[in-house]
Amino acid sequence: MSKIESWAEDFDFLDEDDKLAMLIDYAKKSASMPDILKIDSNKVNGCISQIWVAAGIDNDGVVSVYYDSDAIITKGIAHVIADCFTGISLSEAKNITKEDFKI
């Protein structure tokens, strides 16, 4: 099972209020992005809230995604999406499309 499918399964059993509560719980945990990466080039344009996203690849070709946001729901959503990409190979990450998130 992919991480996306696993997250979809976790959310599938929740009503809307519980989904928001779950995102808030994840947002309350520390974001994975160090302050040094909170630069304009990592900022997502077009969002009302501020959100930063950066990705890296280690020597073994494994992806890490770092994120932070000043808005609690946005930060929770970023946590879920970052987790879907973190720890997988670059080739796997390249094959993920926005349609994969429409489970």
Side-chain angles (χ1 to χ4, degrees), residues 43-52 68-75:
K43 194 171 181 182
V44 177
N45 294 318
C47 290
I48 293 173
S49 57
Q50 294 188 78
I51 181 170
W52 298 269
D68 199 0
S69 178
D70 64 348
I72 197 128
I73 299 296
T74 305
K75 189 175 180 179

Side-chain angles (χ1 to χ4, degrees), residues 35-90:
D35 287 338
I36 196 166
L37 291 178
K38 292 182 188 175
I39 57 176
D40 286 341
S41 61
N42 291 334
K43 194 171 181 182
V44 177
N45 294 318
C47 290
I48 293 173
S49 57
Q50 294 188 78
I51 181 170
W52 298 269
V53 178
I57 304 160
D58 70 14
N59 292 336
D60 295 324
V62 176
V63 176
S64 292
V65 179
Y66 308 98
Y67 68 92
D68 199 0
S69 178
D70 64 348
I72 197 128
I73 299 296
T74 305
K75 189 175 180 179
I77 293 168
H79 171 86
V80 172
I81 294 171
D83 183 67
C84 290
F85 287 91
T86 296
I88 64 174
S89 70
L90 178 59

Side-chain angles (χ1 to χ4, degrees), residues 1 9 14 21 24 26-27 31-32 44 52 56 67-68 74-75 77-78 90 93 95-97:
M1 175 183 304
E9 188 175 282
L14 304 173
I24 290 168
Y26 283 116
S32 64
V44 177
W52 298 269
Y67 68 92
D68 199 0
T74 305
K75 189 175 180 179
I77 293 168
L90 178 59
N95 287 322
I96 294 174
T97 67

